[in-house]
Amino acid sequence: MTRLEALTRVYPQLEPRIVVTIMGAVAAELQSIGHRPNFFYLQHAMGLASSIGLGIALSKPDRQVVVLDGDGSILMNLGGLTTLARYRPKNLVHVVFDNESLLSVGGFPTATSTGSDLARIAAAAGVPRTCTVTTIEEFARAFGEALEAGELTTLVAKVEARGPAGYVTDLSLLENRFQFQRYLRS
Amino acid sequence: MSPVSQTHSRIIYDALKASGVRLMSALPETWLVHLIRMAEDDPDMTLVRLAKEEEGVGISAGAHLAGVKSAMLMQNHGFLASINGIVSCAQLYHIPLLMLVSYRGEFGERDPWQTAGGGVTEDLLRALRIPFAYLDRADHVAPRIAKAQTLSLSANKPVALLLCRDLMWEEA
């Protein structure tokens, strides 16, 4: 499965929800499918997308938040998984696209390529629902179930280490940030 | 009885509440114990206990975007540990942060392990162009917290208040 296929498949479910992504391929690919004012792309600060998602989920408990994370990013903030698990917001779905590499900076392998298992790490941190999927059908089903579950879920999707040709898009960072804030507060 | 000032911690806490803060992230350190307990005991405060201080940047950013005022309680070494998040989340995206930083390692510090961080805290704040002020006397706590938050929100940027020994610690 490619990340783009996975994003395309669940896009109708992302459309009405608050979405926070990491930088690089995830941000560029989601924008290529279609930007919306309820999507925020954290184009740096690796590791903090899940923390931003937690801050939003705690502040807007009546809205569902989807974080689109990556292996390289979450590996920089594994402690954050323990914080997510500690507060386990029912309105947060944490998707980790695991391509076992730092794709946008040369494709060097991350520790998930040598056996570190992010779903098991999340489970051991205390995240109540976790799973790893490898096919598009499994992903679509697991994502749908996570949205319905009403419980914090970390869903690890193993994806191919392929991405877009470029990462810079015509959406400026601050335009995205203020549009997203206005959406969240309206 | 801990020499950390309960009275002054209460003044700080009440000032944060008066400024509309409804979410606090914290990582315990000796000088912050009373503040963290006050947040814990307050049904109107969401306290987020962190594994590492940088997470607090993301949590406060999310809260701000969603319209909730927040504050971050940390030691100056926690500020050191948060710098990438401060720069590449809060400053890059023009997001306000109200950081209350216990200023360990300054004059009077007895713990040798706090002294290296104490010596670089202000230089780092200046290098990052983070406006800061000292909280070292009870009578200016409330106005300085209010003014720090006002600037943070109008400028959309991080600000810091340094919690000083003269305010936080009741021994000479």
Side-chain angles (χ1 to χ4, degrees):
Chain A
M1 142 174 69
T2 66
R3 190 183 35 250
L4 184 59
E5 285 166 356
L7 288 170
T8 305
R9 178 68 176 265
V10 301
Y11 188 80
Q13 291 151 294
L14 297 176
E15 251 182 313
R17 294 184 164 87
I18 296 166
V19 177
V20 178
T21 82
I22 57 164
M23 67 188 302
V26 183
E29 288 177 350
L30 185 58
Q31 287 181 45
S32 76
I33 304 167
H35 169 63
R36 294 182 57 83
N38 43 309
F39 294 176
F40 176 70
Y41 317 92
L42 181 63
Q43 296 283 18
H44 211 314
M46 281 179 72
L48 291 189
S50 52
S51 303
I52 290 181
L54 176 61
I56 296 171
L58 292 173
S59 301
K60 296 198 87 70
D62 53 335
R63 291 294 308 272
Q64 206 164 22
V65 181
V66 177
V67 173
L68 301 176
D69 215 333
D71 52 312
S73 285
I74 196 64
L75 284 167
M76 290 199 193
N77 188 13
L78 288 180
L81 280 173
T82 67
T83 308
L84 275 187
R86 191 169 199 167
Y87 297 96
R88 52 187 71 186
K90 294 177 184 305
N91 56 331
L92 181 63
V93 175
H94 180 217
V95 176
V96 183
F97 290 115
D98 180 3
N99 59 17
E100 302 184 357
S101 66
L102 291 158
L103 182 68
S104 64
V105 287
F108 295 101
T110 65
T112 63
S113 72
T114 53
S116 296
D117 183 329
L118 292 170
R120 285 173 61 197
I121 290 171
V127 175
R129 296 183 80 252
T130 62
C131 68
T132 301
V133 297
T134 55
T135 68
I136 188 79
E137 293 306 323
E138 284 176 346
F139 174 71
R141 188 169 60 245
F143 185 68
E145 286 170 3
L147 292 177
E148 295 300 315
E151 200 166 31
L152 173 66
T153 303
T154 294
L155 166 56
V156 178
K158 289 284 188 179
V159 293
E160 292 169 36
R162 279 201 279 150
Y167 299 101
V168 178
T169 69
D170 64 1
L171 179 65
S172 96
L173 277 57
L174 291 181
E175 181 183 0
N176 176 222
R177 171 249 186 274
F178 284 104
Q179 184 187 49
F180 183 67
Q181 174 178 303
R182 191 164 288 115
Y183 171 86
L184 288 186
R185 295 185 183 188
S186 65
Chain B
M1 195 68 180
S2 155
V4 180
S5 172
Q6 189 138 18
T7 311
H8 293 164
S9 297
R10 173 53 66 186
I11 291 169
I12 295 165
Y13 190 80
D14 289 348
L16 290 168
K17 282 295 289 282
S19 297
V21 169
R22 292 295 174 268
L23 186 149
M24 275 186 202
S25 67
L27 206 137
E29 95 103 9
T30 310
W31 291 11
L32 302 175
V33 287
H34 298 310
L35 283 166
I36 293 172
R37 293 215 175 100
M38 287 167 195
E40 203 172 60
D41 293 342
D42 182 352
D44 296 326
M45 185 67 73
T46 301
L47 172 66
V48 184
R49 298 165 188 278
L50 307 171
K52 196 168 183 177
E53 291 86 349
E54 190 187 13
E55 294 171 56
V57 176
I59 291 164
S60 277
H64 175 74
L65 294 169
V68 171
K69 292 191 175 75
S70 71
M72 300 161 67
L73 301 179
M74 65 180 99
Q75 194 190 82
N76 44 353
H77 296 82
F79 162 66
L80 266 58
S82 304
I83 284 177
N84 182 52
I86 291 167
V87 172
S88 64
C89 176
Q91 292 186 332
L92 182 66
Y93 280 97
H94 294 211
I95 288 173
L97 298 176
L98 181 59
M99 301 188 287
L100 278 84
V101 179
S102 62
Y103 194 4
R104 302 298 306 269
E106 259 298 278
F107 281 7
E109 180 66 60
R110 290 174 189 164
D111 295 342
W113 47 87
Q114 305 290 10
T115 56
V120 299
T121 300
E122 291 186 41
D123 287 338
L124 284 167
L125 285 164
R126 287 193 186 93
L128 295 167
R129 297 183 185 162
I130 295 173
F132 68 93
Y134 306 103
L135 295 186
D136 54 6
R137 274 198 350 242
D139 58 345
H140 63 215
V141 165
R144 282 197 183 164
I145 286 178
K147 287 173 183 171
Q149 190 192 50
T150 299
L151 177 66
S152 178
L153 293 172
S154 65
N156 275 311
K157 65 180 181 187
V159 300
L161 290 161
L162 295 173
L163 305 175
C164 298
R165 177 172 298 270
D166 289 346
L167 182 74
M168 303 307 291
W169 200 251
E170 286 178 335
E171 281 177 350

